[in-house]
């Protein structure tokens, strides 16, 4: 009789565990499909081939010249425990900075530290703030361990998350899920050609969101921002304690 009770108790425990695992919140296929539809695949990937040979002021920019020096500066920032959470790459040579940014993903991939990227451009889905948050969130579900489960909990009570305002989306899709994420080493986000995002106000909103991001999880995420040296961007970075 005692053996029978013990067996029934074990069966009951197994059934409870199975029920818990099947009812545990997860990002549904519908939610992932919605995120994917709202994201922009052309903005997620750098144009590696285009960066290999870029003409600047009549000269030829190659992977083995200026890119290497840029890599050294970025590598130093990546490796430093005392480095500031945001690196701003800017200057007179916009093509040079962008080319370096386009090589950066491979640097982070080699170190298994690429969290995601967004490359602004003239592409219809790459010049708007509307696709910025869903694109990053979708990438984080695959690059940060534990993020997908945390995102599912954030979305569990709201099936209309993509109808929320831009700040609400950023809070729900990125900031809230990051609260419970820990990592032994930081991962990196790359934001390129910020000045090509339509509207100075939207560019400012993105920078404010990135500040929120690193304030929330500086130990978990760092951000490299590549842009022109436009006066409004320079003013923003001068006001903040950000590596420039």
């Amino acid at each position: 009789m005692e053996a029978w009770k013990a067996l029934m108790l074990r069966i009951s425990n197994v059934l409870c565990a199975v029920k818990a695992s099947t009812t545990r919140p997860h990002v549904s296929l519908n939610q992932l499909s919605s995120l994917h539809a709202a994201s922009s695949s052309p903005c997620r990937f750098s144009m590696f081939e285009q960066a290999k040979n870029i003409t600047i002021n009549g000269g030829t920019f190659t992977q083995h010249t200026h890119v290497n020096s840029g890599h050294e500066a970025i590598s130093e920032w990546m490796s430093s425990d005392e480095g500031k959470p945001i690196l701003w790459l800017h200057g007179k040579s916009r093509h040079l900075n962008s080319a370096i940014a386009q090589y950066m993903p491979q640097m982070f991939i080699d170190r298994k530290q690429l969290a995601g990227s967004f490359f602004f451009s003239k592409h219809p889905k790459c010049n708007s703030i509307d696709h910025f948050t869903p694109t990053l969130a979708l990438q984080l579900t695959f690059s940060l361990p534990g993020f997908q489960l945390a995102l599912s909990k954030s979305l569990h009570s709201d099936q209309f998350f993509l109808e929320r305002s831009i700040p609400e989306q950023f809070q729900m899709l990125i900031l809230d899920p990051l609260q419970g994420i820990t990592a032994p080493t930081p991962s990196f986000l790359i934001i390129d050609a910020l000045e090509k995002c339509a509207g100075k106000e939207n560019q400012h909103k993105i920078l404010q969101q990135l500040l929120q991001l690193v304030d929330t999880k500086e130990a978990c995420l760092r951000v490299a921002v590549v842009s022109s040296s436009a006066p409004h961007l320079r003013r923003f970075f001068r006001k903040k304690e950000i590596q420039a």
Side-chain angles (χ1 to χ4, degrees):
M1 182 62 69
E2 293 300 325
W4 174 255
K5 288 182 179 180
L7 177 61
M8 293 302 295
L9 181 60
R10 290 179 61 187
I11 293 175
S12 176
N13 290 338
V14 170
L15 290 175
C16 288
V18 170
K19 182 179 180 180
S21 65
T22 56
T23 58
R24 184 180 297 127
H26 63 283
V27 180
S28 69
L29 290 177
N30 287 338
Q31 290 171 331
L32 278 177
S33 296
S34 297
L35 267 182
H36 190 275
S39 70
S40 175
S41 57
C43 304
R44 297 199 300 262
F45 306 104
S46 61
M47 310 303 288
F48 294 103
E49 293 302 319
Q50 293 183 15
K52 289 181 180 177
N53 191 22
I54 295 176
T55 300
I56 301 176
N57 296 329
T60 300
F61 173 83
T62 67
Q63 180 179 358
H64 302 292
T65 55
H66 297 83
V67 172
N68 287 337
S69 61
H71 280 188
E72 291 175 4
I74 296 166
S75 295
E76 182 178 350
W77 170 68
M78 290 171 60
S79 304
S80 174
D81 293 332
E82 300 178 357
K84 294 183 179 179
I86 296 182
L87 173 68
W88 184 33
L89 294 175
H90 62 100
K92 295 180 180 179
S93 179
R94 175 66 191 82
H95 293 291
L96 174 61
N97 289 332
S98 189
I100 292 174
Q102 289 168 349
Y103 279 110
M104 285 170 67
Q106 191 58 53
M107 296 175 64
F108 297 136
I109 288 172
D110 291 342
R111 300 187 182 205
K112 298 181 180 179
Q113 289 180 286
L114 179 64
S117 58
F118 196 99
F119 288 76
F120 285 100
S121 71
K122 294 181 180 180
H123 188 284
K125 293 188 75 174
C126 296
N127 64 356
S128 169
I129 194 174
D130 295 338
H131 306 287
F132 181 72
T133 294
T135 302
L136 291 186
L138 183 64
Q139 294 174 85
L140 291 174
T141 62
F142 298 101
S143 61
L144 284 187
F147 186 87
Q148 186 173 142
L149 178 59
L151 178 62
S152 71
K153 295 177 180 178
S154 179
L155 300 182
H156 190 63
S157 60
D158 193 340
Q159 301 299 313
F160 303 99
F161 56 93
L162 291 177
E163 298 178 15
R164 307 305 175 201
S165 67
I166 297 297
E168 288 176 324
Q169 282 187 31
F170 196 77
Q171 183 71 43
M172 182 177 296
L173 296 180
I174 294 182
L175 296 182
D176 287 346
L178 280 175
Q179 292 291 341
I181 302 297
T182 58
T185 56
S187 295
F188 296 86
L189 292 171
I190 305 167
I191 312 300
D192 181 45
L194 178 61
E195 75 280 359
K196 293 184 180 179
C197 176
K200 293 180 180 179
E201 182 180 348
N202 287 332
Q203 296 170 25
H204 188 269
K205 286 180 180 178
I206 287 174
L207 289 173
Q208 291 288 4
Q209 289 176 342
L210 294 176
L211 284 180
Q212 285 184 280
L213 178 65
V214 296
D215 284 343
T216 300
K217 279 294 175 183
E218 178 178 340
C220 184
L221 285 171
R222 291 185 183 181
V223 184
V225 178
V226 183
S227 76
S228 68
S229 298
H232 68 286
L233 296 175
R234 187 174 291 277
R235 282 194 299 270
F236 179 89
F237 281 98
R238 280 179 176 173
K239 291 179 181 178
K240 310 297 180 182
E241 291 187 358
I242 296 173
Q243 178 154 329

